């Protein structure tokens, strides 16, 4: 009986290993038998977009530019004549001629985890593609001065075409200043933070003395798509200055590892 059990255990182990190989693997070229050897190098697969809004006016947006080097891509049937990048953010694919420049760069301006498709095509019409997953977080600064009522909203919907995954967390920090005035007094302030369903996620209130500041912050991992809102209200007292900072962060490691050139 012991011998049979050992034989069964070895057979089961080999079968499990075989099934694991059938169900998935890390080699994206596995199963491809065409003439193109698609080799792409990239130094980064993640970054953070930064945006700002001041008194209702949109400021500059600093996107995340990533570059993909196709220089070592070859074809047994001829020359590589076209390289392409589909960013998965609804934009048109970017095309390049490797004879001019074998590097394609793209700048993401929105947040999400993007299944970026990289493609090479040769002069015989053969093509081959691989997928590189890119994680783009978002950092927003929103400010309003001399106000009794400040309402900010932001969209937590991922911009990737399949809308998955959702953000891992949203962190918001709100700093309210009661600017010092010669005859200034206290400001009674409330914060009300709502999710896209209109449910109050968090709220608070406080008294801000003349010339002083108070901060309120919240981190939520119960992220749902749609517009989130933060209302800052002065219920009595002097007008205030408000600065809100928002981070939309996706699961760490949801992006693919980098593949830098080692030469």
């Amino acid at each position: 009986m012991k011998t049979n059990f050992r034989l069964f255990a070895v057979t089961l182990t080999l079968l499990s290993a075989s099934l694991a190989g059938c169900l998935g693997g890390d080699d994206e070229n596995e199963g491809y038998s065409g003439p193109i050897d698609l080799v792409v190098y990239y130094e980064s697969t993640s970054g953070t977009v930064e945006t700002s809004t001041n008194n209702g006016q949109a400021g500059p947006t600093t996107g995340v530019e990533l570059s993909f080097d196709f220089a070592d891509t070859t074809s047994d049937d001829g020359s590589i004549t076209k390289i392409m990048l589909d960013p998965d953010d609804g934009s048109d694919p970017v095309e390049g001629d490797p004879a001019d420049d074998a590097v394609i760069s793209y700048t993401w301006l929105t947040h999400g985890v993007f299944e970026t498709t990289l493609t090479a095509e040769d002069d015989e019409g053969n093509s081959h593609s691989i997928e590189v997953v890119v994680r783009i977080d978002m950092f927003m600064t929103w400010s309003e001065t001399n106000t009794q009522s400040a309402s900010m909203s932001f969209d937590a919907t991922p911009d990737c075409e399949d809308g998955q995954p959702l953000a891992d967390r949203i962190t918001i920090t709100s700093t309210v200043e009661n600017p010092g005035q010669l005859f200034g007094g206290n400001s009674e302030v409330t914060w009300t933070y709502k999710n896209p369903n209109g449910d109050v996620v968090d709220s608070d209130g406080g008294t801000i003395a003349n010339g002083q500041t108070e901060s309120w912050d919240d981190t939520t991992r119960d992220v749902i798509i749609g517009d989130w809102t933060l209302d800052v209200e002065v219920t009595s007292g002097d007008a205030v200055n408000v600065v809100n900072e928002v981070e939309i962060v996706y699961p760490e490691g949801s992006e693919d590892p980098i593949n830098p050139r080692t030469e």
Side-chain angles (χ1 to χ4, degrees):
M1 289 296 293
K2 290 182 179 179
T3 302
N4 291 340
F5 178 79
R6 291 194 185 104
L7 178 60
F8 174 77
V10 170
T11 303
L12 180 61
T13 300
L14 293 174
L15 179 60
S16 297
S18 174
L19 286 174
C22 293
L23 293 175
D26 294 331
D27 184 3
E28 295 190 57
N29 288 299
E30 185 177 353
Y32 174 73
S33 59
I36 295 178
D37 183 17
L38 182 52
V39 179
V40 185
Y41 297 105
Y42 35 92
E43 299 283 343
S44 180
T45 54
S46 64
T48 302
V49 174
E50 297 185 6
T51 68
S52 63
T53 302
N54 182 25
N55 290 323
Q57 299 297 313
T61 295
T62 302
V64 177
E65 182 181 68
L66 301 179
S67 297
F68 300 87
D69 182 357
F70 290 75
D72 288 355
T73 295
T74 59
S75 174
D76 292 339
D77 279 4
S79 300
I80 300 296
T81 57
K82 184 189 294 184
I83 53 178
M84 291 174 285
L85 180 153
D86 186 339
D88 188 36
D89 63 357
S91 301
D92 292 334
V94 179
E95 297 185 1
D97 183 348
D100 297 328
D101 189 352
V103 177
I104 289 184
S105 297
Y106 184 79
T107 301
W108 280 265
L109 298 173
T110 53
H111 60 85
V113 177
F114 300 93
E115 297 175 350
T116 306
T117 303
L118 305 174
T119 303
E121 184 177 304
D122 67 17
D123 53 9
E124 292 297 319
N126 302 300
S127 66
H128 182 36
S129 299
I130 61 172
E131 186 179 277
V132 176
V133 179
V134 170
R135 173 171 62 93
I136 307 295
D137 299 329
M138 177 74 80
F139 178 79
M140 294 171 277
T141 302
W142 186 97
S143 60
E144 192 163 328
T145 58
N146 193 33
T147 181
Q148 294 277 343
S149 179
S151 182
M152 176 197 68
S153 66
F154 58 90
D155 191 356
T157 306
D159 198 39
C160 48
E161 292 187 359
D162 66 359
Q164 296 294 328
L166 300 182
D168 178 62
R169 64 177 172 86
I170 299 173
T171 298
I172 185 166
T173 300
S174 178
T175 301
V176 178
E177 176 194 23
N178 181 357
Q181 302 179 54
L182 182 59
F183 300 105
N186 295 340
S187 296
E188 301 292 335
V189 176
T190 62
W191 290 268
T192 306
Y193 185 35
K194 296 180 181 180
N195 67 20
N197 295 330
D199 302 324
V200 175
V201 175
D202 201 354
S203 62
D204 203 353
T207 301
I208 306 176
N210 186 41
Q212 300 299 308
T213 62
E214 293 287 343
S215 291
W216 170 92
D217 59 77
D218 179 90
T219 296
T220 181
R221 294 185 181 274
D222 187 18
V223 178
I224 59 178
I225 63 173
D227 291 332
W228 295 65
T229 60
L230 175 63
D231 295 323
V232 179
E233 300 285 344
V234 178
T235 56
S236 66
D238 297 337
V240 296
N241 301 327
V242 180
V243 178
N244 298 329
E245 294 180 334
V246 179
E247 291 181 283
I248 301 176
V249 179
Y250 287 83
E252 185 175 353
S254 56
E255 74 276 18
D256 278 340
I258 62 174
N259 186 37
R261 185 182 290 277
T262 57
E263 299 175 357

